Amino acid sequence: MKTFCGRANPTTGAMEWLEEDENYDYHQEIARSRYADMLHDKDRNTKYYQGIRAAVSRVKERGEKAIVLDIGTGTGLLSMMAASAGADFCYAIEVFKPMANAAVKIVEKNGFRDKIKVINKHSTEVTVGPDGDMQCRANILVTELFDTELIGEGALPTYEHAHKYLVQEGCEAVPHRATVYVQLVESKRMWSWNKLFPVHVEAEDGEKMIVSPSEMENCPGVPSVCDIQLNQMPSSDFTILSDVVTMFSVDFSKPVRSASTYYRVQLEPIKSGKAQIVLSWWDIDMDPSGMISCTMAPYWVKSTSAFQWRDHWMQCVYFLPNEEPVLQGEKVYLTACRDQYSVWYKLEKARGEEENKADVHVESPVCRCQAHLLWNRPRFGELNDQNRTQQYVKSLMKVLKTDSVCLCISDGSLLPVLAHYLGAKQVQYFFLVFRSLRFTLVFLFFKANHLEDKIKIIEARPELLTSSHLEDKKISVLVGEPFFTTSLLPWHNLYFWYARTAVTSHLTSNVTVLPQSASLHMMIVEFQDLWRIRSPCGTCEGFDVQTMDDMINNSLNFRESKEAEPHPLWEYPCKSLSDPQKVLTFDFRKTVPQHCLSTEGSVNLLRKGKSHGAVLWMEYHLAADISVNTGLMQISNEKGNCEWNPHCKQAVYFFSSVIESETLSDLPSAVTYAINFDTKTGEIAMDFKL
Ligand code: SAH
């Protein structure tokens, strides 16, 4: 059977529905899932085990049979823990069929067939009674349904339903309770992920400023959480304005209400500053006493000895709707609003308590300016990067002439505005957009900067561009950042090359293309932690989970050639084991060739360590000697620690086997590679031999 999967086509920049093998989706889901990461999370696993043992003992001490309901059993791990701890029977519920099948196999292999019943259903479909899925209601409720935001995976409605229909009153719950903590901070770096700062341009006739549309200034943004590895954020990048406070907690052993609500706390700033960001994380207490606690607190809050790396639970960055000046010691109210699946915050100056309560609006924020829908947080950061802007300014100054006719192809780009300020009055500007959302945003920008009649927005796809769109002019300067919102992997922005090819008949014979070319770079690395998400687990807390390893491996190999995956490497420390190497170049001055671009070679290993994989990134050569790098910024010390562009995701290709060496002499001296850019599909396939 075939199914249709939506995917952006890097040769057209458009979303397409591709016919895929029916197994494609679930293989993707398994291959990219966080199951391996969870199984490697020792801190989580041991605490669940302790909590489950304690809950089973409490029930047994009361002289009752221990009947466990495990919602979202995944590999069956928590049910096996319960059975080992002496539970009489476990109902293990799993909605995702391939996982439910895996759980059945794992449960059998570990000898728990008589104690654990795997039910492939959503918990809200589970029935109780003599003919039901469960014989009776459970008296122990075990779940792990949490994401970084705690409630984003639907924990609240699932608990609400389970308490109503599936468990007994007064049941034991593991975890027993979750508590959400917040801290108010000022951070230019993080605020730059949500608001566009004015862009200063040094033009020949003085300094110019690009301003944001007022719609954007006052826009509350989108309610989707920004989850990051906060432990990678240096303390110099933010200023703490308040102590850590408890925002709200949920007791899982009592009926849970999932309906929208709000929580409010009073804060006394410990420092004056601009309140912009609420940092948030949670902990879960596995037992009522709070002695067994698993916390996501960042490094400045908890002792380093408690540190456990994990990627399935991180920390949250919430943007206040607007920045608010706060004064040390002058109380403010912080309100957390939530619906069933997400949380958002607002801050108010302390007035009378009653007065404040009256105007709590729990509706979730809606982006009014389009920018928060079109640009993600890293894209905001990239546009706010003044150094990067300077590279474009310098190169535009080089290429723009008084009689230039300029066409820009990039998504929601400020390049036309920059170019306008830098170019001579006579320069003609066109800006190609091909989706209405982009049209609205670009138009708002041009209006805010009084450029509506200076830059013409063309709403057409590149291949449908006609000379009448261009007022019968030929383009002498074609520019792009390039950036497209549909790009997932670094080379997907090569869509610029395809668009450039499509508009060739409208270009002058000596057209200047900016960037003139791009290059793909590659380096072999050892990850400090990220390797865990791809590493087999074998046994977990004494249970054989190899079936899961095999299943992930099988899904990774579902495609003949494995695929690289995007990761923002500033969040995932690694060290370089080889020098960076340029592996392919793409000449935008020419059209996309018919044939594939391929390369083979080898890269020397220079440092000892584990070769976990290769990292690949793009560099754009704007003009002679001016480049923008989306990958490795520098290798910061002799140990090989890498610094990555903080606004871009890099491509990571994990090697299927890891080579480890204690000494340089044990190392194979080189890794050989074969890399192929298929110009028909816009995809890059690669193979490495260690
Ligand atoms: N309990 C396992 C896996 C946790 S991942 C462990 O701790 O290692 C969460 C799992 O819950 C996923 O496999 C997801 O498919 C499943 N899930 C989430 N909500 C569910 C629900 N309401 N009913 C059934 N399964 C659910």
Side-chain angles (χ1 to χ4, degrees):
M1 227 181 86
K2 298 278 179 185
T3 61
F4 285 89
C5 298
R7 259 226 253 181
N9 179 338
T11 72
T12 62
M15 287 301 285
E16 283 178 1
W17 292 97
L18 300 179
E19 218 186 343
E20 287 282 5
D21 187 292
E22 69 165 329
N23 293 327
Y24 177 79
D25 244 5
Y26 103 71
H27 280 303
Q28 280 297 312
E29 187 141 343
I30 297 284
R32 314 275 166 244
S33 72
R34 294 164 184 237
Y35 293 107
D37 184 30
M38 291 189 283
L39 294 175
H40 282 292
D41 187 341
K42 180 86 187 148
D43 179 57
R44 177 196 87 120
N45 300 337
T46 50
K47 285 170 179 163
Y48 260 100
Y49 211 168
Q50 286 171 24
I52 288 170
R53 281 198 194 103
V56 171
S57 325
R58 286 196 300 275
V59 169
K60 295 257 164 182
E61 274 163 22
R62 295 201 290 260
E64 294 169 26
K65 275 192 161 186
I67 308 295
V68 176
L69 171 64
D70 169 12
I71 303 181
T73 199
T75 52
L77 180 70
L78 305 182
S79 286
M80 295 193 292
M81 287 178 178
S84 298
D88 295 278
F89 201 78
C90 304
Y91 295 100
I93 319 295
E94 175 54 57
V95 65
F96 185 35
K97 190 162 196 336
M99 276 315 302
N101 294 343
V104 169
K105 284 191 205 150
I106 295 172
V107 162
E108 275 217 31
K109 203 168 170 189
N110 287 278
F112 293 110
R113 195 189 187 162
D114 303 337
K115 291 266 179 216
I116 301 174
K117 178 180 176 187
V118 178
I119 301 165
N120 176 208
K121 279 189 176 179
H122 192 269
S123 60
T124 52
E125 305 293 316
V126 169
T127 54
V128 183
D131 302 320
D133 299 310
M134 298 170 65
Q135 289 289 302
C136 60
R137 287 184 176 228
N139 53 6
I140 301 179
L141 175 57
V142 176
T143 80
E144 203 274 59
L145 300 167
F146 314 114
D147 67 347
T148 295
E149 201 177 17
L150 189 71
I151 64 171
E153 280 174 14
L156 294 177
T158 293
Y159 271 107
E160 183 168 41
H161 174 272
H163 277 289
K164 277 190 190 145
Y165 303 105
L166 307 176
V167 296
Q168 297 169 18
E169 208 186 309
C171 76
E172 300 287 341
V174 183
H176 178 79
R177 128 179 23 87
T179 309
V180 173
Y181 301 91
V182 292
Q183 190 164 33
L184 198 61
V185 304
E186 169 175 341
S187 167
K188 191 173 179 208
R189 175 168 177 197
M190 288 184 261
W191 196 235
S192 84
W193 300 343
N194 184 53
K195 292 275 174 198
L196 194 72
F197 301 155
V199 181
H200 297 275
V201 188
E202 295 286 343
E204 269 169 9
D205 50 345
E207 194 185 91
K208 302 279 167 61
M209 196 165 77
I210 304 179
V211 294
S212 311
S214 55
E215 290 87 344
M216 194 183 274
E217 294 272 301
N218 305 320
C219 181
V222 280
S224 64
V225 66
C226 173
D227 52 343
I228 63 164
Q229 292 281 0
L230 201 48
N231 289 312
Q232 296 308 317
M233 181 69 60
S235 54
S236 53
D237 280 353
F238 59 97
T239 307
I240 289 173
L241 300 180
S242 83
D243 290 329
V244 176
V245 296
T246 299
M247 197 70 226
F248 64 94
S249 60
V250 187
D251 182 343
F252 296 123
S253 70
K254 305 249 161 59
V256 168
R257 275 174 50 89
S258 70
S260 296
T261 186
Y262 69 89
Y263 312 90
R264 169 173 280 194
V265 293
Q266 200 182 51
L267 290 180
E268 199 172 303
I270 53 171
K271 208 170 172 184
S272 300
K274 283 180 275 184
Q276 297 164 327
I277 307 284
V278 176
L279 298 179
S280 173
W281 58 88
W282 47 260
D283 63 23
I284 42 179
D285 288 326
M286 297 299 180
D287 72 337
S289 76
M291 299 292 280
I292 314 164
S293 178
C294 185
T295 177
M296 304 308 124
Y299 65 88
W300 65 92
V301 178
K302 74 174 167 192
S303 69
T304 45
S305 62
F307 190 78
Q308 163 79 48
W309 184 87
R310 43 171 77 93
D311 206 39
H312 61 116
W313 293 330
M314 296 184 271
Q315 292 79 25
C316 304
V317 177
Y318 294 99
F319 305 95
L320 289 172
N322 283 298
E323 65 180 22
E324 294 278 348
V326 293
L327 289 172
Q328 184 180 345
E330 203 161 284
K331 290 188 181 103
V332 287
Y333 284 103
L334 182 66
T335 308
C337 304
R338 69 150 183 81
D339 56 19
Q340 289 194 328
Y341 298 96
S342 63
V343 185
W344 58 96
Y345 284 87
K346 49 191 206 173
L347 187 76
E348 283 146 315
K349 291 276 156 62
R351 291 172 285 163
E353 172 102 15
E354 286 315 307
E355 203 182 324
N356 270 322
K357 259 197 180 137
D359 58 7
V360 170
H361 299 287
V362 282
E363 297 88 52
S364 101
V366 179
C367 169
R368 289 189 295 258
C369 72
Q370 315 275 340
H372 299 92
L373 303 175
L374 185 57
W375 298 333
N376 59 18
R377 274 75 185 229
R379 173 62 174 164
F380 267 95
E382 184 174 52
L383 288 170
N384 281 319
D385 180 344
Q386 287 280 355
N387 286 334
R388 178 177 180 273
T389 304
Q390 273 316 309
Q391 304 306 310
Y392 287 96
V393 166
K394 274 197 285 181
S395 48
L396 282 167
M397 296 226 271
K398 281 194 181 186
V399 305
L400 288 173
K401 304 207 177 65
T402 47
D403 58 350
S404 294
V405 180
C406 187
L407 176 69
C408 176
I409 306 180
S410 257
D411 273 345
S413 176
L414 303 184
L415 277 189
V417 186
L418 273 187
H420 172 82
Y421 284 138
L422 296 166
K425 295 273 178 300
Q426 297 91 311
V427 181
Q428 287 255 340
Y429 297 98
F430 298 99
F431 187 43
L432 198 61
V433 295
F434 28 93
R435 262 167 282 216
S436 49
L437 185 61
R438 280 147 224 202
F439 182 88
T440 318
L441 176 63
V442 169
F443 185 74
L444 287 178
F445 249 99
F446 290 176
K447 214 170 84 185
N449 292 279
H450 311 292
L451 298 173
E452 312 95 291
D453 49 352
K454 308 258 172 27
I455 304 173
K456 187 177 168 200
I457 306 175
I458 305 171
E459 214 180 349
R461 301 192 48 79
E463 59 277 17
L464 300 178
L465 189 67
T466 61
S467 26
S468 65
H469 283 128
L470 300 172
E471 294 158 10
D472 292 323
K473 299 202 172 60
K474 290 272 184 202
I475 301 298
S476 61
V477 180
L478 178 66
V479 300
E481 295 187 36
F483 170 85
F484 300 98
T485 48
T486 47
S487 301
L488 296 174
L489 287 160
W491 47 86
H492 291 169
N493 283 328
L494 286 176
Y495 170 59
F496 177 69
W497 202 12
Y498 292 88
R500 176 257 178 264
T501 304
V503 302
T504 300
S505 64
H506 303 287
L507 308 178
T508 59
S509 56
N510 60 348
V511 64
T512 304
V513 184
L514 183 167
Q516 58 188 27
S517 66
S519 47
L520 180 70
H521 298 249
M522 187 270 289
M523 189 171 75
I524 310 296
V525 302
E526 173 183 81
F527 287 108
Q528 188 179 299
D529 301 295
L530 191 64
W531 59 271
R532 289 170 208 274
I533 66 167
R534 285 290 157 275
S535 166
C537 192
T539 59
C540 179
E541 297 302 307
F543 303 104
D544 180 343
V545 291
Q546 208 196 320
T547 306
M548 188 68 218
D549 294 337
D550 296 344
M551 192 167 149
I552 293 175
N553 214 15
N554 179 36
S555 287
L556 285 167
N557 293 328
F558 177 64
R559 290 281 151 120
E560 296 127 60
S561 64
K562 290 201 307 171
E563 289 170 13
E565 41 190 280
H567 290 283
L569 289 187
W570 74 267
E571 294 182 60
Y572 303 99
C574 64
K575 68 178 195 179
S576 73
L577 299 185
S578 75
D579 279 334
Q581 189 148 325
K582 188 199 282 186
V583 285
L584 283 176
T585 50
F586 312 93
D587 188 350
F588 299 153
R589 288 165 297 193
K590 304 198 180 104
T591 55
V592 178
Q594 293 290 312
H595 56 84
C596 294
L597 299 180
S598 46
T599 180
E600 285 182 7
S602 68
V603 52
N604 292 333
L605 293 178
L606 305 172
R607 277 191 193 83
K608 62 181 185 183
K610 295 180 182 152
S611 300
H612 290 129
V615 177
L616 297 99
W617 66 93
M618 298 289 283
E619 221 174 291
Y620 296 98
H621 309 289
L622 304 184
D625 302 328
I626 307 177
S627 297
V628 178
N629 182 349
T630 68
L632 184 70
M633 307 311 285
Q634 68 168 22
I635 294 177
S636 53
N637 57 19
E638 73 290 349
K639 288 194 191 122
N641 293 340
C642 302
E643 270 175 43
W644 299 95
N645 181 319
H647 313 302
C648 298
K649 286 185 180 179
Q650 291 76 32
V652 177
Y653 182 95
F654 287 98
F655 297 151
S656 40
S657 61
V658 172
I659 46 165
E660 183 176 357
S661 69
E662 284 308 311
T663 63
L664 252 187
S665 54
D666 304 345
L667 272 182
S669 53
V671 174
T672 59
Y673 60 83
I675 297 177
N676 181 53
F677 175 58
D678 183 341
T679 52
K680 296 274 177 305
T681 62
E683 290 293 353
I684 288 185
M686 58 196 91
D687 194 23
F688 292 85
K689 289 210 170 55
L690 305 174

